[in-house]
């Protein structure tokens, strides 16, 4: 069983930065594919970014590429999402997720993730 707890959300202005953290419990955290998703009101939960466990390969949605950076610290059981140049359209609840299949290549598919955090609100004002 894995528990995920996000933090770092808040209200910022367009152009500002935020860094989200996701603290995970579980002894095998280092073998999980970790992802970030977001959900705006009335919309689907969309893929934002993911990072593999083995080689640290990263994946991004086109909408955040070049602005967001995902990273992980396996020693601290934590995954991060550094968000720069924030836009009002980035406003959403951001969720951390874990996929227990370390070889999973479907990192953008929310249905392959086994565990989810409770979410943290990010609001970007114009």
């Amino acid at each position: 069983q894995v528990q995920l707890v996000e933090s770092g959300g808040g209200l910022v202005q367009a152009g500002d930065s935020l860094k989200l953290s996701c603290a995970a419990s579980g002894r095998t955290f280092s073998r999980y594919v970790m992802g970030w998703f977001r959900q705006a009101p009335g919309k689907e939960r969309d893929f934002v970014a993911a990072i593999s466990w083995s080689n640290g390969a990263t994946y991004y949605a086109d909408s955040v590429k070049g602005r967001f950076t995902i990273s992980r610290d396996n020693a601290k059981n934590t995954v991060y999402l550094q968000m720069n140049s924030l836009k009002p359209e980035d406003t959403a609840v951001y969720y951390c997720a874990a996929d227990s299949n370390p070889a999973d290549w479907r990192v953008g598919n929310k249905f392959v993730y086994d565990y989810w955090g409770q979410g943290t609100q990010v609001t970007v004002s114009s």
Side-chain angles (χ1 to χ4, degrees), residues 35-38 45-50 59-61 63 107-109 113:
W36 285 97
F37 289 75
R38 66 186 182 185
R45 188 170 298 188
D46 292 331
F47 171 71
V48 175
Y59 310 86
Y60 297 95
S63 59
V107 297
N109 184 342
Y113 289 83

Side-chain angles (χ1 to χ4, degrees), residues 42-53:
K43 295 189 176 181
E44 296 285 323
R45 188 170 298 188
D46 292 331
F47 171 71
V48 175
I51 186 167
S52 73
W53 77 274

